[in-house]
Amino acid sequence: MEDPSRVLIIREDTFLKGGVRNARRIEVFGYIEGEIEGDMLVVQPGGRCFGRVNVAQADVRGTLQGDVVVRQLISIRESGEVVGNVKYGKLAMEMGGQLSAEMRNIPPSISGDLDLSVDKGKVVRITLQDLSALDPDDSAENLTFTVSQVRNGFVVLANDPVSPVGTFTQADLEGGTVLFRHDGTDDPRASFAVVVADMSGATSGAAQTVNVAVR
């Protein structure tokens, strides 16, 4: 019987940064970034895995990029893409699968529940649980959010909480200095939209809305 304590499942809405050690099976539907070691790695369609990977076997149907060591068999399926410094014992690749040694810039993506609550006319801190950027090849200082479509309030920084800002960085979020200030109107809803870009100019795509419930 498989030991459930050694099985890690990264679900579609899960974003994990950090190390994974001594796992029997790692199944990725969402996003994982870091040092990953185990027996079997399965990257499902839509799953993204980045970092230093050392596993016995891998079955790739999503995206795997980084320094990758697969001691036995790596299977790259039709929808799979493997990029980076890849070493393997055996390779099986379906038509349509991709294997490349050329490291590519990975566009940033937005995570978090995109949901805040604020008291009328007050200020709330935007946490990493609310909003965050994911990008394994750019530092927090080089990930810049652009704010648009602000409704019933404005985004400010803690060092100047009365002046609206149009941009802030992932480092600002990690430092706890990004705030949303409600404008005091009676509407029970407020919101703003964000796009994040990396140092090379790659973006997260269409703007995503952060909803703010007003108490």
Side-chain angles (χ1 to χ4, degrees), residues 11-50:
R11 302 192 183 280
E12 290 90 339
D13 58 351
T14 300
F15 304 88
L16 177 63
K17 291 186 177 183
V20 175
R21 301 282 190 278
N22 195 33
R24 179 183 179 93
R25 181 181 178 91
I26 305 159
E27 194 155 355
V28 182
F29 294 86
Y31 178 105
I32 184 170
E33 174 188 335
E35 294 197 14
I36 301 158
E37 296 180 2
D39 296 337
M40 181 68 180
L41 172 66
V42 180
V43 185
Q44 296 287 1
R48 295 175 292 163
C49 180
F50 306 107

PDB file of all heavy atoms in Angstrom, residues 11-50:
ATOM      1  N   ARG A  11      -2.525  20.838  -6.252  1.00  0.00           N
ATOM      2  CA  ARG A  11      -3.786  20.975  -6.972  1.00  0.00           C
ATOM      3  C   ARG A  11      -3.780  22.201  -7.880  1.00  0.00           C
ATOM      4  O   ARG A  11      -2.881  23.036  -7.820  1.00  0.00           O
ATOM      5  CB  ARG A  11      -4.946  21.031  -5.979  1.00  0.00           C
ATOM      6  CG  ARG A  11      -4.986  19.787  -5.099  1.00  0.00           C
ATOM      7  CD  ARG A  11      -6.269  19.674  -4.329  1.00  0.00           C
ATOM      8  NE  ARG A  11      -6.233  18.506  -3.444  1.00  0.00           N
ATOM      9  CZ  ARG A  11      -6.446  17.261  -3.824  1.00  0.00           C
ATOM     10  NH1 ARG A  11      -6.717  16.990  -5.098  1.00  0.00           N
ATOM     11  NH2 ARG A  11      -6.400  16.268  -2.963  1.00  0.00           N
ATOM     12  N   GLU A  12      -4.811  22.295  -8.739  1.00  0.00           N
ATOM     13  CA  GLU A  12      -4.848  23.345  -9.763  1.00  0.00           C
ATOM     14  C   GLU A  12      -4.740  24.745  -9.174  1.00  0.00           C
ATOM     15  O   GLU A  12      -4.132  25.628  -9.775  1.00  0.00           O
ATOM     16  CB  GLU A  12      -6.140  23.251 -10.588  1.00  0.00           C
ATOM     17  CG  GLU A  12      -6.214  22.046 -11.512  1.00  0.00           C
ATOM     18  CD  GLU A  12      -6.846  20.835 -10.844  1.00  0.00           C
ATOM     19  OE1 GLU A  12      -6.874  20.781  -9.583  1.00  0.00           O
ATOM     20  OE2 GLU A  12      -7.322  19.936 -11.564  1.00  0.00           O
ATOM     21  N   ASP A  13      -5.310  24.963  -8.005  1.00  0.00           N
ATOM     22  CA  ASP A  13      -5.314  26.289  -7.404  1.00  0.00           C
ATOM     23  C   ASP A  13      -4.220  26.464  -6.361  1.00  0.00           C
ATOM     24  O   ASP A  13      -4.265  27.382  -5.544  1.00  0.00           O
ATOM     25  CB  ASP A  13      -6.678  26.578  -6.764  1.00  0.00           C
ATOM     26  CG  ASP A  13      -7.051  25.543  -5.703  1.00  0.00           C
ATOM     27  OD1 ASP A  13      -6.341  24.523  -5.581  1.00  0.00           O
ATOM     28  OD2 ASP A  13      -8.057  25.756  -4.997  1.00  0.00           O
ATOM     29  N   THR A  14      -3.213  25.583  -6.381  1.00  0.00           N
ATOM     30  CA  THR A  14      -2.153  25.613  -5.383  1.00  0.00           C
ATOM     31  C   THR A  14      -0.846  26.076  -6.015  1.00  0.00           C
ATOM     32  O   THR A  14      -0.476  25.641  -7.103  1.00  0.00           O
ATOM     33  CB  THR A  14      -1.963  24.223  -4.756  1.00  0.00           C
ATOM     34  OG1 THR A  14      -3.185  23.823  -4.142  1.00  0.00           O
ATOM     35  CG2 THR A  14      -0.867  24.243  -3.710  1.00  0.00           C
ATOM     36  N   PHE A  15      -0.139  26.955  -5.290  1.00  0.00           N
ATOM     37  CA  PHE A  15       1.148  27.469  -5.727  1.00  0.00           C
ATOM     38  C   PHE A  15       2.136  27.229  -4.590  1.00  0.00           C
ATOM     39  O   PHE A  15       1.965  27.773  -3.500  1.00  0.00           O
ATOM     40  CB  PHE A  15       1.057  28.959  -6.051  1.00  0.00           C
ATOM     41  CG  PHE A  15       0.004  29.284  -7.067  1.00  0.00           C
ATOM     42  CD1 PHE A  15      -1.295  29.544  -6.688  1.00  0.00           C
ATOM     43  CD2 PHE A  15       0.321  29.310  -8.416  1.00  0.00           C
ATOM     44  CE1 PHE A  15      -2.275  29.836  -7.622  1.00  0.00           C
ATOM     45  CE2 PHE A  15      -0.645  29.596  -9.361  1.00  0.00           C
ATOM     46  CZ  PHE A  15      -1.946  29.856  -8.960  1.00  0.00           C
ATOM     47  N   LEU A  16       3.138  26.401  -4.838  1.00  0.00           N
ATOM     48  CA  LEU A  16       4.078  26.014  -3.794  1.00  0.00           C
ATOM     49  C   LEU A  16       5.493  26.437  -4.172  1.00  0.00           C
ATOM     50  O   LEU A  16       5.981  26.100  -5.253  1.00  0.00           O
ATOM     51  CB  LEU A  16       4.029  24.500  -3.576  1.00  0.00           C
ATOM     52  CG  LEU A  16       5.028  23.926  -2.557  1.00  0.00           C
ATOM     53  CD1 LEU A  16       4.749  24.475  -1.167  1.00  0.00           C
ATOM     54  CD2 LEU A  16       4.980  22.411  -2.560  1.00  0.00           C
ATOM     55  N   LYS A  17       6.141  27.181  -3.267  1.00  0.00           N
ATOM     56  CA  LYS A  17       7.547  27.523  -3.415  1.00  0.00           C
ATOM     57  C   LYS A  17       8.310  26.905  -2.254  1.00  0.00           C
ATOM     58  O   LYS A  17       7.923  27.068  -1.103  1.00  0.00           O
ATOM     59  CB  LYS A  17       7.745  29.038  -3.417  1.00  0.00           C
ATOM     60  CG  LYS A  17       7.210  29.751  -4.639  1.00  0.00           C
ATOM     61  CD  LYS A  17       7.590  31.226  -4.592  1.00  0.00           C
ATOM     62  CE  LYS A  17       7.127  31.955  -5.822  1.00  0.00           C
ATOM     63  NZ  LYS A  17       7.551  33.384  -5.827  1.00  0.00           N
ATOM     64  N   GLY A  18       9.397  26.214  -2.570  1.00  0.00           N
ATOM     65  CA  GLY A  18      10.193  25.607  -1.510  1.00  0.00           C
ATOM     66  C   GLY A  18      10.655  24.222  -1.891  1.00  0.00           C
ATOM     67  O   GLY A  18      10.440  23.748  -3.006  1.00  0.00           O
ATOM     68  N   GLY A  19      11.316  23.554  -0.955  1.00  0.00           N
ATOM     69  CA  GLY A  19      11.888  22.251  -1.235  1.00  0.00           C
ATOM     70  C   GLY A  19      10.939  21.111  -0.929  1.00  0.00           C
ATOM     71  O   GLY A  19      10.119  21.185  -0.008  1.00  0.00           O
ATOM     72  N   VAL A  20      11.050  20.047  -1.720  1.00  0.00           N
ATOM     73  CA  VAL A  20      10.322  18.795  -1.485  1.00  0.00           C
ATOM     74  C   VAL A  20      11.360  17.689  -1.442  1.00  0.00           C
ATOM     75  O   VAL A  20      12.155  17.539  -2.377  1.00  0.00           O
ATOM     76  CB  VAL A  20       9.293  18.522  -2.597  1.00  0.00           C
ATOM     77  CG1 VAL A  20       8.636  17.164  -2.380  1.00  0.00           C
ATOM     78  CG2 VAL A  20       8.248  19.627  -2.656  1.00  0.00           C
ATOM     79  N   ARG A  21      11.395  16.925  -0.362  1.00  0.00           N
ATOM     80  CA  ARG A  21      12.404  15.895  -0.186  1.00  0.00           C
ATOM     81  C   ARG A  21      11.749  14.547   0.060  1.00  0.00           C
ATOM     82  O   ARG A  21      10.717  14.447   0.726  1.00  0.00           O
ATOM     83  CB  ARG A  21      13.293  16.218   1.021  1.00  0.00           C
ATOM     84  CG  ARG A  21      14.036  17.537   0.941  1.00  0.00           C
ATOM     85  CD  ARG A  21      15.257  17.419   0.026  1.00  0.00           C
ATOM     86  NE  ARG A  21      16.098  18.607   0.130  1.00  0.00           N
ATOM     87  CZ  ARG A  21      15.893  19.734  -0.510  1.00  0.00           C
ATOM     88  NH1 ARG A  21      14.851  19.820  -1.332  1.00  0.00           N
ATOM     89  NH2 ARG A  21      16.692  20.769  -0.384  1.00  0.00           N
ATOM     90  N   ASN A  22      12.374  13.523  -0.488  1.00  0.00           N
ATOM     91  CA  ASN A  22      12.042  12.140  -0.141  1.00  0.00           C
ATOM     92  C   ASN A  22      10.571  11.803  -0.357  1.00  0.00           C
ATOM     93  O   ASN A  22       9.966  11.062   0.412  1.00  0.00           O
ATOM     94  CB  ASN A  22      12.435  11.851   1.318  1.00  0.00           C
ATOM     95  CG  ASN A  22      12.456  10.367   1.624  1.00  0.00           C
ATOM     96  OD1 ASN A  22      12.789   9.551   0.757  1.00  0.00           O
ATOM     97  ND2 ASN A  22      12.104  10.003   2.847  1.00  0.00           N
ATOM     98  N   ALA A  23       9.981  12.356  -1.404  1.00  0.00           N
ATOM     99  CA  ALA A  23       8.584  12.035  -1.708  1.00  0.00           C
ATOM    100  C   ALA A  23       8.530  10.773  -2.561  1.00  0.00           C
ATOM    101  O   ALA A  23       9.356  10.562  -3.445  1.00  0.00           O
ATOM    102  CB  ALA A  23       7.928  13.188  -2.447  1.00  0.00           C
ATOM    103  N   ARG A  24       7.538   9.958  -2.298  1.00  0.00           N
ATOM    104  CA  ARG A  24       7.344   8.773  -3.136  1.00  0.00           C
ATOM    105  C   ARG A  24       6.759   9.176  -4.485  1.00  0.00           C
ATOM    106  O   ARG A  24       7.181   8.676  -5.532  1.00  0.00           O
ATOM    107  CB  ARG A  24       6.411   7.788  -2.429  1.00  0.00           C
ATOM    108  CG  ARG A  24       6.130   6.522  -3.218  1.00  0.00           C
ATOM    109  CD  ARG A  24       5.140   5.649  -2.480  1.00  0.00           C
ATOM    110  NE  ARG A  24       4.852   4.440  -3.234  1.00  0.00           N
ATOM    111  CZ  ARG A  24       5.495   3.289  -3.087  1.00  0.00           C
ATOM    112  NH1 ARG A  24       6.486   3.202  -2.217  1.00  0.00           N
ATOM    113  NH2 ARG A  24       5.175   2.231  -3.807  1.00  0.00           N
ATOM    114  N   ARG A  25       5.791  10.089  -4.463  1.00  0.00           N
ATOM    115  CA  ARG A  25       5.133  10.529  -5.694  1.00  0.00           C
ATOM    116  C   ARG A  25       4.762  12.003  -5.541  1.00  0.00           C
ATOM    117  O   ARG A  25       4.175  12.402  -4.535  1.00  0.00           O
ATOM    118  CB  ARG A  25       3.873   9.702  -5.959  1.00  0.00           C
ATOM    119  CG  ARG A  25       3.136  10.069  -7.247  1.00  0.00           C
ATOM    120  CD  ARG A  25       1.886   9.212  -7.395  1.00  0.00           C
ATOM    121  NE  ARG A  25       1.107   9.542  -8.580  1.00  0.00           N
ATOM    122  CZ  ARG A  25       1.278   8.952  -9.767  1.00  0.00           C
ATOM    123  NH1 ARG A  25       2.188   8.020  -9.916  1.00  0.00           N
ATOM    124  NH2 ARG A  25       0.527   9.310 -10.803  1.00  0.00           N
ATOM    125  N   ILE A  26       5.103  12.791  -6.545  1.00  0.00           N
ATOM    126  CA  ILE A  26       4.755  14.207  -6.584  1.00  0.00           C
ATOM    127  C   ILE A  26       3.914  14.415  -7.831  1.00  0.00           C
ATOM    128  O   ILE A  26       4.381  14.169  -8.948  1.00  0.00           O
ATOM    129  CB  ILE A  26       6.004  15.094  -6.647  1.00  0.00           C
ATOM    130  CG1 ILE A  26       6.943  14.776  -5.485  1.00  0.00           C
ATOM    131  CG2 ILE A  26       5.619  16.576  -6.638  1.00  0.00           C
ATOM    132  CD1 ILE A  26       8.382  15.199  -5.730  1.00  0.00           C
ATOM    133  N   GLU A  27       2.674  14.851  -7.633  1.00  0.00           N
ATOM    134  CA  GLU A  27       1.768  15.027  -8.762  1.00  0.00           C
ATOM    135  C   GLU A  27       1.399  16.505  -8.839  1.00  0.00           C
ATOM    136  O   GLU A  27       0.838  17.065  -7.885  1.00  0.00           O
ATOM    137  CB  GLU A  27       0.522  14.158  -8.606  1.00  0.00           C
ATOM    138  CG  GLU A  27      -0.284  14.048  -9.869  1.00  0.00           C
ATOM    139  CD  GLU A  27      -1.121  12.779  -9.935  1.00  0.00           C
ATOM    140  OE1 GLU A  27      -1.004  11.933  -9.026  1.00  0.00           O
ATOM    141  OE2 GLU A  27      -1.879  12.641 -10.912  1.00  0.00           O
ATOM    142  N   VAL A  28       1.692  17.134  -9.981  1.00  0.00           N
ATOM    143  CA  VAL A  28       1.563  18.584 -10.111  1.00  0.00           C
ATOM    144  C   VAL A  28       0.447  18.920 -11.090  1.00  0.00           C
ATOM    145  O   VAL A  28       0.563  18.696 -12.292  1.00  0.00           O
ATOM    146  CB  VAL A  28       2.887  19.221 -10.584  1.00  0.00           C
ATOM    147  CG1 VAL A  28       2.743  20.740 -10.653  1.00  0.00           C
ATOM    148  CG2 VAL A  28       4.038  18.828  -9.667  1.00  0.00           C
ATOM    149  N   PHE A  29      -0.629  19.481 -10.566  1.00  0.00           N
ATOM    150  CA  PHE A  29      -1.696  20.053 -11.379  1.00  0.00           C
ATOM    151  C   PHE A  29      -1.572  21.574 -11.416  1.00  0.00           C
ATOM    152  O   PHE A  29      -2.068  22.206 -12.324  1.00  0.00           O
ATOM    153  CB  PHE A  29      -3.069  19.681 -10.812  1.00  0.00           C
ATOM    154  CG  PHE A  29      -3.396  18.221 -10.866  1.00  0.00           C
ATOM    155  CD1 PHE A  29      -2.990  17.364  -9.850  1.00  0.00           C
ATOM    156  CD2 PHE A  29      -4.108  17.695 -11.937  1.00  0.00           C
ATOM    157  CE1 PHE A  29      -3.308  16.013  -9.891  1.00  0.00           C
ATOM    158  CE2 PHE A  29      -4.424  16.349 -11.991  1.00  0.00           C
ATOM    159  CZ  PHE A  29      -4.017  15.511 -10.962  1.00  0.00           C
ATOM    160  N   GLY A  30      -0.941  22.156 -10.383  1.00  0.00           N
ATOM    161  CA  GLY A  30      -0.803  23.604 -10.245  1.00  0.00           C
ATOM    162  C   GLY A  30       0.609  24.070 -10.535  1.00  0.00           C
ATOM    163  O   GLY A  30       1.129  23.835 -11.623  1.00  0.00           O
ATOM    164  N   TYR A  31       1.253  24.691  -9.526  1.00  0.00           N
ATOM    165  CA  TYR A  31       2.564  25.327  -9.715  1.00  0.00           C
ATOM    166  C   TYR A  31       3.454  24.949  -8.546  1.00  0.00           C
ATOM    167  O   TYR A  31       3.070  25.074  -7.388  1.00  0.00           O
ATOM    168  CB  TYR A  31       2.374  26.840  -9.758  1.00  0.00           C
ATOM    169  CG  TYR A  31       3.626  27.675  -9.904  1.00  0.00           C
ATOM    170  CD1 TYR A  31       3.943  28.274 -11.127  1.00  0.00           C
ATOM    171  CD2 TYR A  31       4.471  27.910  -8.833  1.00  0.00           C
ATOM    172  CE1 TYR A  31       5.079  29.064 -11.255  1.00  0.00           C
ATOM    173  CE2 TYR A  31       5.611  28.688  -8.960  1.00  0.00           C
ATOM    174  CZ  TYR A  31       5.901  29.261 -10.169  1.00  0.00           C
ATOM    175  OH  TYR A  31       7.032  30.051 -10.296  1.00  0.00           O
ATOM    176  N   ILE A  32       4.672  24.498  -8.857  1.00  0.00           N
ATOM    177  CA  ILE A  32       5.669  24.227  -7.830  1.00  0.00           C
ATOM    178  C   ILE A  32       7.016  24.759  -8.298  1.00  0.00           C
ATOM    179  O   ILE A  32       7.368  24.632  -9.479  1.00  0.00           O
ATOM    180  CB  ILE A  32       5.742  22.724  -7.492  1.00  0.00           C
ATOM    181  CG1 ILE A  32       6.730  22.482  -6.337  1.00  0.00           C
ATOM    182  CG2 ILE A  32       6.078  21.876  -8.710  1.00  0.00           C
ATOM    183  CD1 ILE A  32       6.682  21.071  -5.783  1.00  0.00           C
ATOM    184  N   GLU A  33       7.742  25.356  -7.366  1.00  0.00           N
ATOM    185  CA  GLU A  33       9.037  25.961  -7.683  1.00  0.00           C
ATOM    186  C   GLU A  33       9.996  25.687  -6.538  1.00  0.00           C
ATOM    187  O   GLU A  33       9.670  25.928  -5.378  1.00  0.00           O
ATOM    188  CB  GLU A  33       8.854  27.467  -7.873  1.00  0.00           C
ATOM    189  CG  GLU A  33      10.127  28.253  -8.067  1.00  0.00           C
ATOM    190  CD  GLU A  33       9.883  29.752  -8.064  1.00  0.00           C
ATOM    191  OE1 GLU A  33       8.750  30.186  -8.382  1.00  0.00           O
ATOM    192  OE2 GLU A  33      10.821  30.490  -7.739  1.00  0.00           O
ATOM    193  N   GLY A  34      11.189  25.161  -6.861  1.00  0.00           N
ATOM    194  CA  GLY A  34      12.178  24.919  -5.815  1.00  0.00           C
ATOM    195  C   GLY A  34      12.993  23.679  -6.094  1.00  0.00           C
ATOM    196  O   GLY A  34      13.119  23.235  -7.244  1.00  0.00           O
ATOM    197  N   GLU A  35      13.571  23.107  -5.046  1.00  0.00           N
ATOM    198  CA  GLU A  35      14.340  21.864  -5.147  1.00  0.00           C
ATOM    199  C   GLU A  35      13.404  20.695  -4.859  1.00  0.00           C
ATOM    200  O   GLU A  35      12.786  20.634  -3.801  1.00  0.00           O
ATOM    201  CB  GLU A  35      15.514  21.882  -4.170  1.00  0.00           C
ATOM    202  CG  GLU A  35      16.548  22.949  -4.515  1.00  0.00           C
ATOM    203  CD  GLU A  35      17.866  22.713  -3.826  1.00  0.00           C
ATOM    204  OE1 GLU A  35      18.073  21.594  -3.299  1.00  0.00           O
ATOM    205  OE2 GLU A  35      18.694  23.623  -3.813  1.00  0.00           O
ATOM    206  N   ILE A  36      13.342  19.768  -5.810  1.00  0.00           N
ATOM    207  CA  ILE A  36      12.350  18.698  -5.766  1.00  0.00           C
ATOM    208  C   ILE A  36      13.067  17.358  -5.894  1.00  0.00           C
ATOM    209  O   ILE A  36      13.772  17.121  -6.879  1.00  0.00           O
ATOM    210  CB  ILE A  36      11.320  18.871  -6.897  1.00  0.00           C
ATOM    211  CG1 ILE A  36      10.615  20.224  -6.754  1.00  0.00           C
ATOM    212  CG2 ILE A  36      10.316  17.736  -6.917  1.00  0.00           C
ATOM    213  CD1 ILE A  36       9.997  20.732  -8.025  1.00  0.00           C
ATOM    214  N   GLU A  37      12.889  16.507  -4.902  1.00  0.00           N
ATOM    215  CA  GLU A  37      13.502  15.191  -4.916  1.00  0.00           C
ATOM    216  C   GLU A  37      12.457  14.149  -4.557  1.00  0.00           C
ATOM    217  O   GLU A  37      11.621  14.378  -3.678  1.00  0.00           O
ATOM    218  CB  GLU A  37      14.652  15.113  -3.910  1.00  0.00           C
ATOM    219  CG  GLU A  37      15.813  16.044  -4.222  1.00  0.00           C
ATOM    220  CD  GLU A  37      16.927  15.929  -3.213  1.00  0.00           C
ATOM    221  OE1 GLU A  37      16.807  15.091  -2.284  1.00  0.00           O
ATOM    222  OE2 GLU A  37      17.904  16.680  -3.325  1.00  0.00           O
ATOM    223  N   GLY A  38      12.505  13.021  -5.249  1.00  0.00           N
ATOM    224  CA  GLY A  38      11.549  11.960  -4.947  1.00  0.00           C
ATOM    225  C   GLY A  38      11.695  10.804  -5.906  1.00  0.00           C
ATOM    226  O   GLY A  38      12.636  10.733  -6.704  1.00  0.00           O
ATOM    227  N   ASP A  39      10.741   9.902  -5.827  1.00  0.00           N
ATOM    228  CA  ASP A  39      10.761   8.723  -6.683  1.00  0.00           C
ATOM    229  C   ASP A  39      10.101   9.002  -8.032  1.00  0.00           C
ATOM    230  O   ASP A  39      10.691   8.744  -9.077  1.00  0.00           O
ATOM    231  CB  ASP A  39      10.048   7.558  -5.986  1.00  0.00           C
ATOM    232  CG  ASP A  39      10.764   7.125  -4.715  1.00  0.00           C
ATOM    233  OD1 ASP A  39      11.979   7.388  -4.601  1.00  0.00           O
ATOM    234  OD2 ASP A  39      10.107   6.557  -3.833  1.00  0.00           O
ATOM    235  N   MET A  40       8.865   9.545  -8.003  1.00  0.00           N
ATOM    236  CA  MET A  40       8.093   9.732  -9.227  1.00  0.00           C
ATOM    237  C   MET A  40       7.527  11.136  -9.269  1.00  0.00           C
ATOM    238  O   MET A  40       6.874  11.583  -8.327  1.00  0.00           O
ATOM    239  CB  MET A  40       6.938   8.722  -9.285  1.00  0.00           C
ATOM    240  CG  MET A  40       6.085   8.825 -10.538  1.00  0.00           C
ATOM    241  SD  MET A  40       7.001   8.308 -12.003  1.00  0.00           S
ATOM    242  CE  MET A  40       5.794   8.528 -13.297  1.00  0.00           C
ATOM    243  N   LEU A  41       7.796  11.835 -10.371  1.00  0.00           N
ATOM    244  CA  LEU A  41       7.224  13.163 -10.607  1.00  0.00           C
ATOM    245  C   LEU A  41       6.266  13.071 -11.782  1.00  0.00           C
ATOM    246  O   LEU A  41       6.641  12.621 -12.870  1.00  0.00           O
ATOM    247  CB  LEU A  41       8.321  14.177 -10.915  1.00  0.00           C
ATOM    248  CG  LEU A  41       7.862  15.568 -11.381  1.00  0.00           C
ATOM    249  CD1 LEU A  41       7.112  16.294 -10.267  1.00  0.00           C
ATOM    250  CD2 LEU A  41       9.052  16.408 -11.862  1.00  0.00           C
ATOM    251  N   VAL A  42       5.022  13.519 -11.565  1.00  0.00           N
ATOM    252  CA  VAL A  42       4.023  13.565 -12.625  1.00  0.00           C
ATOM    253  C   VAL A  42       3.576  15.011 -12.768  1.00  0.00           C
ATOM    254  O   VAL A  42       3.024  15.587 -11.828  1.00  0.00           O
ATOM    255  CB  VAL A  42       2.816  12.664 -12.328  1.00  0.00           C
ATOM    256  CG1 VAL A  42       1.809  12.742 -13.471  1.00  0.00           C
ATOM    257  CG2 VAL A  42       3.260  11.224 -12.091  1.00  0.00           C
ATOM    258  N   VAL A  43       3.832  15.602 -13.931  1.00  0.00           N
ATOM    259  CA  VAL A  43       3.376  16.961 -14.209  1.00  0.00           C
ATOM    260  C   VAL A  43       2.181  16.843 -15.146  1.00  0.00           C
ATOM    261  O   VAL A  43       2.324  16.476 -16.310  1.00  0.00           O
ATOM    262  CB  VAL A  43       4.486  17.818 -14.840  1.00  0.00           C
ATOM    263  CG1 VAL A  43       4.007  19.259 -14.997  1.00  0.00           C
ATOM    264  CG2 VAL A  43       5.749  17.774 -13.992  1.00  0.00           C
ATOM    265  N   GLN A  44       1.006  17.154 -14.635  1.00  0.00           N
ATOM    266  CA  GLN A  44      -0.222  16.979 -15.385  1.00  0.00           C
ATOM    267  C   GLN A  44      -0.420  18.130 -16.382  1.00  0.00           C
ATOM    268  O   GLN A  44       0.238  19.166 -16.281  1.00  0.00           O
ATOM    269  CB  GLN A  44      -1.411  16.916 -14.419  1.00  0.00           C
ATOM    270  CG  GLN A  44      -1.378  15.726 -13.479  1.00  0.00           C
ATOM    271  CD  GLN A  44      -1.697  14.409 -14.170  1.00  0.00           C
ATOM    272  OE1 GLN A  44      -1.934  14.363 -15.382  1.00  0.00           O
ATOM    273  NE2 GLN A  44      -1.711  13.325 -13.410  1.00  0.00           N
ATOM    274  N   PRO A  45      -1.305  17.976 -17.375  1.00  0.00           N
ATOM    275  CA  PRO A  45      -1.574  19.074 -18.310  1.00  0.00           C
ATOM    276  C   PRO A  45      -1.962  20.345 -17.550  1.00  0.00           C
ATOM    277  O   PRO A  45      -2.810  20.315 -16.656  1.00  0.00           O
ATOM    278  CB  PRO A  45      -2.749  18.545 -19.144  1.00  0.00           C
ATOM    279  CG  PRO A  45      -2.601  17.053 -19.082  1.00  0.00           C
ATOM    280  CD  PRO A  45      -2.077  16.761 -17.706  1.00  0.00           C
ATOM    281  N   GLY A  46      -1.307  21.443 -17.887  1.00  0.00           N
ATOM    282  CA  GLY A  46      -1.531  22.695 -17.182  1.00  0.00           C
ATOM    283  C   GLY A  46      -0.661  22.866 -15.962  1.00  0.00           C
ATOM    284  O   GLY A  46      -0.542  23.970 -15.421  1.00  0.00           O
ATOM    285  N   GLY A  47      -0.039  21.800 -15.492  1.00  0.00           N
ATOM    286  CA  GLY A  47       0.862  21.875 -14.353  1.00  0.00           C
ATOM    287  C   GLY A  47       2.190  22.496 -14.746  1.00  0.00           C
ATOM    288  O   GLY A  47       2.648  22.361 -15.885  1.00  0.00           O
ATOM    289  N   ARG A  48       2.833  23.178 -13.787  1.00  0.00           N
ATOM    290  CA  ARG A  48       4.106  23.840 -14.042  1.00  0.00           C
ATOM    291  C   ARG A  48       5.059  23.525 -12.907  1.00  0.00           C
ATOM    292  O   ARG A  48       4.738  23.726 -11.739  1.00  0.00           O
ATOM    293  CB  ARG A  48       3.901  25.349 -14.169  1.00  0.00           C
ATOM    294  CG  ARG A  48       3.056  25.752 -15.386  1.00  0.00           C
ATOM    295  CD  ARG A  48       2.781  27.249 -15.387  1.00  0.00           C
ATOM    296  NE  ARG A  48       1.903  27.645 -14.294  1.00  0.00           N
ATOM    297  CZ  ARG A  48       1.751  28.890 -13.863  1.00  0.00           C
ATOM    298  NH1 ARG A  48       2.458  29.862 -14.420  1.00  0.00           N
ATOM    299  NH2 ARG A  48       0.922  29.172 -12.876  1.00  0.00           N
ATOM    300  N   CYS A  49       6.251  23.067 -13.270  1.00  0.00           N
ATOM    301  CA  CYS A  49       7.251  22.666 -12.298  1.00  0.00           C
ATOM    302  C   CYS A  49       8.588  23.295 -12.694  1.00  0.00           C
ATOM    303  O   CYS A  49       9.073  23.074 -13.812  1.00  0.00           O
ATOM    304  CB  CYS A  49       7.359  21.140 -12.263  1.00  0.00           C
ATOM    305  SG  CYS A  49       8.569  20.501 -11.093  1.00  0.00           S
ATOM    306  N   PHE A  50       9.188  24.077 -11.782  1.00  0.00           N
ATOM    307  CA  PHE A  50      10.416  24.803 -12.078  1.00  0.00           C
ATOM    308  C   PHE A  50      11.420  24.606 -10.942  1.00  0.00           C
ATOM    309  O   PHE A  50      11.041  24.619  -9.768  1.00  0.00           O
ATOM    310  CB  PHE A  50      10.150  26.307 -12.228  1.00  0.00           C
ATOM    311  CG  PHE A  50       9.086  26.641 -13.239  1.00  0.00           C
ATOM    312  CD1 PHE A  50       7.835  27.070 -12.840  1.00  0.00           C
ATOM    313  CD2 PHE A  50       9.339  26.526 -14.592  1.00  0.00           C
ATOM    314  CE1 PHE A  50       6.850  27.386 -13.759  1.00  0.00           C
ATOM    315  CE2 PHE A  50       8.366  26.833 -15.532  1.00  0.00           C
ATOM    316  CZ  PHE A  50       7.117  27.261 -15.109  1.00  0.00           C
TER     317      PHE A  50
END
